[in-house]
Amino acid sequence: MDAKLSTGDTLSAEDQELVDGLLAGKRRPLAKTITLIESTLLAHQQRARKVVASILPHTGRAIRVGISGVPGAGKSTFIEVLGIWLIEHGHKLAILAVDPSSSLSGGSILGDKTRMEMLCQHEEAFIRPSPSAGSLGGVAAKTREAMLACEAAGYDVILVETVGVGQSETTVAGMVDMFTLLQLPNQGDELQAIKKGIVEIADLVAINKVDLNPHHAAVCIAQWKQALHMLRPTSPNWTVPVVGLSALNRIGVDEFWGAIEKFHETMTKTGELEQKRRNQALAWMWSMIEGGLKQFFRNDPRVEAELPKVAQQVSQGQITPGAASEKLLDYVRQKS
Amino acid sequence: MSNEKLPDSSNLDQWKQAALKSAPKTSTDPAKWLEGVKWVTPEGLEVKPLYTKKDLENLEFSDTLPGFPPYVRGPQATMYSVRPWTIRQYAGFSTAEASNAFYRKVLSTGGQGVSVAFDLATHRGYDSDNPRVVGDVGKAGVAIDSVEDMKILFNEIPLGKISVSMTMNGAVLPILAGYIIAAEEQGVEQKDLNGTIQNDILKEFMVRNTYIYPPSPSMRIVGDIFRYTAKNMPRFNSISISGYHISEAGASQALELAFTLADGIEYVKTGIASGMDVDDFAGRLSFFWATGINFYLEIAKMRAARLLWHRIMTNFGAKKEKSKMLRTHTQTSGWSLTEQDPYNNVIRTTIEALSAVFGGTQSLHTNSFDEAIALPSDTSSRIARNTQVIIQEETHICSVVDPWAGSYLMETLTQQMADKAWSIIEEVQTMGGMVKAIESGWAKMQVESCAAETQALIDSGKKVIVGVNKYRLPKEDLVDILEVDNNAVRISQVARLDKIRATRDSKAVQEALDALTAVAEDPSKGNLLDMTIKAVRLRATVGEVSDALEKVFGRYRATNQTISGVYGAIVETQESWKAIQADIKKFEEAHGRRPRLMVAKLGQDGHDRGSKVVATALADLGFDIDVGPMFQTPEEAARLAIENDVHAIGCSSLAAGHKTLVPQLVEALKKQGSDDIIVVVGGVIPPQDYDAVFAAGAKAVFGPGTRIEDAAKKVLEEINKAFPAK
């Protein structure tokens, strides 16, 4: 990231302390910073923006990896085993989860810690499950900033786990250097059924639980390789590898990470990584503009007052959606 | 007398006319009102207000005999009329010396068998000097580290005559071996040993959580114990397949029955797979039920259990009658006991004991009335024991075999319960059996869903608990309780361990442990129990044996899933619920996030019903809830709380850990510069200890019987105090 980037504002004493603690690698200030980033309060968001801006020069040095996979693929077990392996190899890692599901009552149950019991005993690991904040775009922006905070605090590997299915994969792929997909060996036959969009964005496919039926797994890996061969690769300089794993028995972890390091190296050498991160920053800006506009719109007192009535009129067919949106947007237009 | 025919079951219309007269004056449709007069049980059975001879017409087993298939009426022909059930009180008092003194007193005052409760560290295969168990040694039972402790435990108790029941599942190998060697050094041969080891690992994965190894090596241990005992210990029950903990975790009677029998099916398969004929070991399988306060249902459950086990074992091709007979131990429900107005618990336990007796149990434990507050005292233990002695010796209840037989209600309910449980068993079988149902988390979720529903019914007053949500006392009296000085126990255990390690032949011990590890690696090299006995004879400790196996098997870690919506659905219409939700909304508007609380289970206590119910209910209410892993140290819990930046930690304590673990947790938070995170504590905490827990830094304490809504309100209040809106 650009070190000369500036917001033109200085930090309050409280936030400066937060930033200093975070940059010193302290757990508590990092946790507090992520809370600030996640906050829905406007005042907090403004503070968070300044905090993120001031740590920006210290970011960008980690390998950012997205991990996705169907429920039951053994994602948590794999992340735990991979995490311990990374720590044994001298890394410090942060794990963030993107969970777009929102419950009706508002509360969430965050169970990630229970699923990574061994890993969360390690000093070198930072695991932060974040409560769902409704819209996926909102979650994404916040996870992206939380990722930067972890980097600034000295974590050199960031794993972003998708908890939900479907849309969240593309969101995560849009914020990491490398997007990996964890699959089960028995899904070889059902390749057709897997959403093509997800396979297309994968930079690496890992087949877990290959110990269950080695023969079946070998067939499955071959099928995957063939299927991926027919897709457009994510980069002209990269052939998407298919790695066999048994997370439970700690088999294949070194091969998995080896592929990630190789990808990172290749992409750095060709300049694609830098380009990717630039594009991601641009896309990030746009998603924040969209989010900001939406919030601006929703926060308008007249919109807030009229929206329920207008929405009801639309659903009862009394006015057209087009007319309704014009009417509401006009309130905001008049303002500017 | 005239010969006029009196109305009978063929004149049900007449009864209906009579019954309609009881309709409330305000009822606009009395016929419809009468249809609504029924009790729908937690498993969905409909119990009518009246049963008649007509109800018996289509029942297959309403006219059978005790001691004959399918054993609905009991496994023996004469049952209690000749020999009553065994009074067997489960107890363990921190040290082997204290427990031994207690057992001997019990045996001299009407007790007929010994039942050992082990402490939490032992259950999980840790020696008392392991740093992970500092707060757990001597908690909830006796600390056993080696055969030397075992010898003290059974000092002057003739193991060839007195039957011993041991509640051990995780560290089952070193404990069973320790018992065998203690007997050996008393001069008692293995073939004369008589008793039961619980050895039911499947339910540990589902509800009780005192496992050590993953499911598949754990099942291998079970199989090896079956084989060893079948050959060498013919009078010893090699397993006690337990519904008790499933029931205590919240399951309905049908669910307890079904899951337990389905566990039984897995164990029979394990025995057969380890190369035995089903009749070689099936006769040594025993069961363990809970009897709760639902009087009729419990009797029906126990009768239905025998009916179904006969069916299951017949399907397995068992030839011997003994293989198809379900024999059981029973314990009254601990969960049904209340902290409030605790003498009511004597009455509850009496009623529950009666259902166990009418259900035809072979042995019985009756709980002490103070168990919702603390570990039982001498007085409360005596009252508990006398509950059974009075039934046996004063009431003449024992004079008649299966006195509920022929009851229109009971025969009907027995069949309904059997049918309901059978349908669940079939569902489990289509999933691939109980191991699969447990591994997928499905089984646990079924139980937790029942538990959340029950809690919501209690909190909303729809299910009455006297002294808790109805007829509550304005002021509670303190009850004298037993204090355990956990630290003193640990120090004396550590001293004894040091002495053993200094005086034994350590090289021989290491060789024996290596040999055990080798058998763990390669089953063809021998039997795990056989190898453990050899190591324990040389004074290998419980922790060393467990480690030797862990090298190959690994330590199991649970994947925790949590249900949502069940609790909220029942209480969401209540005004008070909406009021708290509004307060949470206010908090969120002021802080930019919801109040966030981490539910922590510290130490080796695995009972997680309370913490899971609280987690799901608070999340339904609108809190963000982090569920911490089981078996955390206070330092780990503090770190996770900091990492997740929670406002509060809700610490659950059910095994007297609150006085050591809570201060350590607060201290750990302080040390990491985060003592603004508040700590609240829930669980079995005697009122006497509240001050100490508050002094340690807790902001709120919630005893048993606390409505979750009240707890939520208080927690939110404390969070608001600690984190004022800026």
Side-chain angles (χ1 to χ4, degrees):
Chain A
M1 291 282 166
D2 190 347
K4 284 168 299 209
L5 214 149
S6 162
T7 55
D9 295 312
T10 46
L11 292 173
S12 68
E14 185 192 359
D15 289 344
Q16 188 61 52
E17 202 186 320
L18 201 61
V19 168
D20 292 344
L22 182 144
L23 292 177
K26 288 186 187 152
R27 196 173 293 272
R28 175 81 159 159
L30 171 59
K32 286 270 172 211
T33 302
I34 296 177
T35 302
L36 200 59
I37 288 168
E38 284 170 357
S39 176
T40 53
L41 285 193
L42 209 60
H44 286 172
Q45 287 169 6
Q46 282 161 355
R47 280 173 58 200
R49 223 161 16 240
K50 287 190 219 169
V51 167
V52 172
S54 74
I55 60 170
L56 215 52
H58 307 276
T59 63
R61 285 175 297 212
I63 299 186
R64 307 165 180 175
V65 181
I67 296 185
S68 176
V70 290
K75 214 165 33 178
S76 306
T77 310
F78 173 62
I79 291 177
E80 174 154 276
V81 169
L82 173 66
I84 288 168
W85 187 91
L86 285 168
I87 289 169
E88 282 167 0
H89 286 74
H91 293 280
K92 273 185 82 179
L93 87 155
I95 296 166
L96 304 169
V98 171
D99 181 0
S101 62
S102 69
S103 61
L104 289 173
S105 65
S108 348
I109 290 193
L110 304 143
D112 298 59
K113 304 271 181 169
T114 67
R115 299 182 291 122
M116 298 171 196
E117 197 181 323
M118 296 297 288
L119 191 57
C120 69
Q121 289 176 16
H122 283 273
E123 278 291 333
E124 296 82 1
F126 183 95
I127 309 170
R128 173 79 175 228
S130 291
S132 51
S135 83
L136 189 60
V139 176
K142 283 163 186 187
T143 307
R144 195 191 293 269
E145 289 178 341
M147 187 169 81
L148 296 179
C150 293
E151 286 187 3
Y155 293 88
D156 65 342
V157 175
I158 316 283
L159 301 180
V160 183
E161 178 194 4
T162 63
V163 175
V165 277
Q167 220 192 329
S168 58
E169 277 89 355
T170 16
T171 313
V172 169
M175 66 176 86
V176 295
D177 301 336
M178 184 168 190
F179 185 74
T180 65
L181 195 60
L182 201 61
Q183 292 291 328
L184 285 170
N186 57 4
Q187 287 168 333
D189 307 333
E190 299 123 41
L191 259 184
Q192 305 294 332
I194 297 171
K195 272 203 226 126
K196 218 169 139 241
I198 295 167
V199 179
E200 273 173 349
I201 56 172
D203 301 304
L204 182 154
V205 174
I207 311 293
N208 194 15
K209 306 191 185 180
V210 292
D211 55 314
L212 292 182
N213 185 338
H215 172 70
H216 201 148
V219 174
C220 171
I221 290 172
Q223 282 177 335
W224 265 99
K225 280 187 177 155
Q226 200 181 1
L228 287 164
H229 190 67
M230 295 193 288
L231 290 173
R232 198 162 58 93
T234 50
S235 151
N237 301 311
W238 184 249
T239 312
V240 177
V242 182
V243 178
L245 280 176
S246 169
L248 207 59
N249 301 305
R250 298 169 191 241
I251 294 168
V253 180
D254 42 356
E255 196 188 338
F256 178 89
W257 193 253
I260 288 190
E261 282 184 329
K262 193 174 159 215
F263 179 82
H264 204 256
E265 204 180 300
T266 313
M267 295 298 117
T268 309
K269 220 184 297 170
T270 59
E272 279 174 273
L273 184 66
E274 206 190 327
Q275 189 55 44
K276 189 176 199 171
R277 286 187 173 182
R278 278 178 203 276
N279 291 343
Q280 286 176 345
L282 258 183
W284 182 11
M285 178 191 80
W286 276 112
S287 86
M288 289 185 83
I289 289 174
E290 280 161 23
L293 279 175
K294 204 166 176 182
Q295 197 171 8
F296 180 68
F297 171 75
R298 289 247 183 196
N299 284 352
D300 183 279
R302 283 161 303 175
V303 170
E304 214 177 338
E306 289 287 311
L307 187 64
K309 202 175 78 197
V310 176
Q312 198 183 13
Q313 286 171 335
V314 172
S315 63
Q316 287 172 352
Q318 288 162 352
I319 54 172
T320 66
S325 61
E326 275 307 305
K327 184 179 170 190
L328 291 169
L329 284 169
D330 268 345
Y331 293 133
V332 192
R333 286 180 187 132
Q334 284 158 19
K335 207 166 163 179
S336 43
Chain B
M1 290 287 281
S2 71
N3 286 333
E4 189 192 351
K5 182 179 169 292
L6 297 169
D8 60 21
S9 57
S10 56
N11 310 99
L12 273 179
D13 282 346
Q14 289 186 33
W15 175 81
K16 270 187 191 152
Q17 288 312 312
L20 286 174
K21 287 179 194 146
S22 303
K25 301 261 178 313
T26 51
S27 174
T28 49
D29 187 350
K32 193 154 185 219
W33 163 82
L34 187 57
E35 272 174 38
V37 180
K38 64 185 174 196
W39 169 40
V40 181
T41 73
E43 44 274 280
L45 303 180
E46 289 194 358
V47 178
K48 304 182 288 180
L50 179 75
Y51 288 80
T52 65
K53 198 174 169 186
K54 259 196 155 46
D55 290 292
L56 295 184
E57 275 169 10
N58 295 314
L59 295 185
E60 200 181 342
F61 302 109
S62 61
D63 185 18
T64 62
L65 292 175
F68 290 89
Y71 306 106
V72 179
R73 304 198 56 188
Q76 303 105 5
T78 51
M79 292 297 285
Y80 313 145
S81 65
V82 172
R83 194 171 150 231
W85 68 92
T86 305
I87 299 175
R88 190 193 305 270
Q89 296 296 86
Y90 176 58
F93 285 87
S94 306
T95 64
E97 288 86 352
S99 304
N100 174 261
F102 177 83
Y103 300 147
R104 278 156 61 188
K105 189 153 102 195
V106 166
L107 291 171
S108 67
T109 54
Q112 296 145 351
V114 168
S115 177
V116 186
F118 295 94
D119 78 345
L120 297 166
T122 309
H123 272 294
R124 299 266 298 149
Y126 293 113
D127 282 337
S128 298
D129 56 359
N130 190 304
R132 280 201 82 83
V133 297
V134 172
D136 300 300
V137 175
K139 293 291 166 64
V142 57
I144 297 290
D145 292 321
S146 74
V147 72
E148 294 303 331
D149 295 333
M150 220 38 139
K151 283 172 73 178
I152 298 169
L153 186 68
F154 296 123
N155 185 32
E156 289 184 36
I157 296 172
L159 293 176
K161 295 198 184 79
I162 298 292
S163 81
V164 173
S165 162
M166 288 177 285
T167 298
M168 180 50 69
N169 304 279
V172 62
L173 286 170
I175 288 302
L176 189 52
Y179 160 76
I180 290 168
I181 300 296
E184 182 178 292
E185 297 184 8
Q186 266 187 11
V188 179
E189 287 182 63
Q190 292 185 19
K191 68 173 172 50
D192 295 323
L193 289 175
N194 157 20
T196 307
I197 184 114
Q198 194 162 76
N199 196 23
D200 173 8
I201 200 69
L202 288 176
K203 61 100 174 47
E204 299 292 337
F205 294 115
M206 188 164 29
V207 291
R208 190 164 171 266
N209 300 313
T210 34
Y211 41 70
I212 303 178
Y213 314 111
S216 104
S218 295
M219 288 301 273
R220 186 182 146 205
I221 293 173
V222 171
D224 274 15
I225 291 174
F226 282 2
R227 261 194 314 169
Y228 187 91
T229 52
K231 194 170 150 218
N232 304 299
M233 298 160 71
R235 297 177 59 212
F236 198 83
N237 296 316
S238 48
I239 194 167
S240 170
I241 306 162
S242 307
Y244 187 83
H245 315 88
I246 301 173
S247 165
E248 288 286 287
S252 65
Q253 277 74 19
L255 203 58
E256 175 197 358
L257 178 55
F259 281 0
T260 309
L261 295 180
D263 282 348
I265 292 172
E266 296 290 331
Y267 292 125
V268 172
K269 284 186 191 159
T270 301
I272 293 172
S274 76
M276 289 184 286
D277 185 86
V278 63
D279 285 316
D280 287 347
F281 64 96
R284 298 317 317 174
L285 305 178
S286 62
F287 284 79
F288 176 22
W289 302 123
T291 46
I293 202 73
N294 268 335
F295 185 73
Y296 297 138
L297 292 184
E298 296 295 4
I299 301 171
K301 175 185 82 187
M302 292 176 69
R303 300 176 92 241
R306 287 189 293 266
L307 174 65
L308 293 181
W309 189 242
H310 180 265
R311 186 187 298 171
I312 288 167
M313 294 311 289
T314 307
N315 290 346
F316 268 114
K319 302 278 180 308
K320 286 188 196 160
E321 275 312 311
K322 204 168 169 223
S323 303
K324 300 184 241 179
M325 247 178 232
L326 183 151
R327 295 162 306 119
T328 190
H329 174 69
T330 305
Q331 179 172 339
T332 58
S333 162
W335 182 80
S336 72
L337 305 183
T338 65
E339 180 198 43
Q340 294 78 8
D341 209 357
Y343 295 107
N344 287 339
N345 294 333
V346 177
I347 300 148
R348 294 191 177 100
T349 298
T350 306
I351 294 168
E352 292 169 359
L354 282 175
S355 52
V357 167
F358 289 136
T361 193
Q362 277 58 61
S363 59
L364 177 62
H365 167 104
T366 30
N367 285 326
S368 301
F369 68 83
D370 51 1
E371 280 182 64
I373 310 167
L375 299 170
S377 67
D378 268 5
T379 310
S380 68
S381 301
R382 189 182 69 244
I383 294 172
R385 188 167 59 249
N386 281 343
T387 308
Q388 297 192 49
V389 177
I390 289 168
I391 299 173
Q392 284 192 354
E393 302 193 16
E394 293 187 13
T395 64
H396 288 283
I397 281 174
C398 295
S399 306
V400 180
V401 178
D402 187 27
W404 279 86
S407 150
Y408 306 134
L409 155 76
M410 193 52 71
E411 296 294 2
T412 308
L413 202 52
T414 301
Q415 188 63 49
Q416 283 177 331
M417 185 66 76
D419 293 343
K420 181 79 199 178
W422 192 253
S423 71
I424 301 171
I425 292 172
E426 283 181 329
E427 197 179 345
V428 170
Q429 297 311 313
T430 46
M431 266 179 241
M434 206 58 196
V435 173
K436 288 266 157 42
I438 290 170
E439 277 175 352
S440 70
W442 177 84
K444 193 173 170 72
M445 303 285 263
Q446 299 296 307
V447 177
E448 284 181 9
S449 166
C450 275
E453 194 177 320
T454 305
Q455 189 61 44
L457 290 172
I458 294 168
D459 286 355
S460 59
K462 289 171 188 155
K463 176 180 164 73
V464 173
I465 298 186
V466 171
V468 174
N469 63 1
K470 212 174 179 184
Y471 315 116
R472 193 158 181 157
L473 287 181
K475 186 181 172 300
E476 299 273 349
D477 291 331
L478 284 188
V479 175
D480 282 337
I481 54 155
L482 178 84
E483 287 272 349
V484 175
D485 185 352
N486 146 265
N487 209 29
V489 178
R490 199 175 59 86
I491 289 167
S492 83
Q493 286 301 120
V494 171
R496 201 176 290 153
L497 272 169
D498 288 344
K499 194 176 154 209
I500 289 167
R501 293 202 175 111
T503 52
R504 66 185 181 182
D505 179 351
S506 290
K507 187 166 165 280
V509 170
Q510 195 50 53
E511 281 166 13
L513 290 171
D514 290 344
L516 176 61
T517 304
V519 170
E521 251 162 26
D522 180 358
S524 71
K525 285 192 178 150
N527 182 297
L528 291 169
L529 178 55
D530 187 35
M531 300 309 289
T532 306
I533 290 171
K534 287 179 178 141
V536 167
R537 190 181 280 125
L538 294 166
R539 276 28 187 188
T541 66
V542 169
E544 289 163 351
V545 167
S546 301
D547 287 347
L549 295 166
E550 192 181 329
K551 273 185 203 159
V552 179
F553 295 158
R555 206 166 249 272
Y556 179 71
R557 289 165 287 121
T559 50
N560 244 328
Q561 293 161 295
T562 307
I563 52 162
S564 67
V566 176
Y567 184 95
I570 295 176
V571 294
E572 67 189 359
T573 53
Q574 299 194 345
E575 286 308 315
S576 50
W577 178 263
K578 288 182 195 156
I580 301 176
Q581 281 188 318
D583 286 346
I584 290 177
K585 192 92 203 139
K586 239 184 263 164
F587 182 93
E588 193 180 345
E589 279 160 12
H591 291 85
R593 60 171 177 153
R594 294 182 282 259
R596 187 162 177 173
L597 174 125
M598 179 169 117
V599 177
K601 286 275 334 163
L602 301 181
Q604 299 300 314
D605 171 42
H607 295 93
D608 63 349
R609 173 184 185 161
S611 61
K612 295 304 275 295
V613 167
V614 167
T616 180
L618 290 191
D620 282 356
L621 200 49
F623 280 79
D624 281 331
I625 300 292
D626 294 271
V627 182
M630 309 281 294
F631 313 122
Q632 280 184 297
T633 64
E635 290 73 25
E636 285 163 9
R639 195 151 63 75
L640 296 194
I642 292 166
E643 211 161 272
N644 289 9
D645 198 19
V646 301
H647 299 103
I649 303 177
C651 179
S652 160
S653 166
L654 282 99
H658 53 276
K659 280 164 97 177
T660 40
L661 296 168
V662 173
Q664 286 171 12
L665 177 62
V666 174
E667 194 47 45
L669 284 170
K670 218 175 266 171
K671 221 187 261 168
Q672 303 182 43
S674 308
D675 49 346
D676 54 332
I677 295 176
I678 63 168
V679 174
V680 298
V681 186
V684 180
I685 295 153
Q688 284 90 324
D689 289 357
Y690 277 35
D691 285 345
V693 177
F694 281 122
K699 291 283 184 261
V701 181
F702 306 108
T706 307
R707 289 172 71 233
I708 292 183
E709 213 177 272
D710 296 339
K713 213 164 140 185
K714 175 76 182 155
V715 170
L716 192 58
E717 220 176 276
E718 290 299 331
I719 290 178
N720 269 317
K721 253 191 253 167
F723 300 91
K726 281 179 193 160

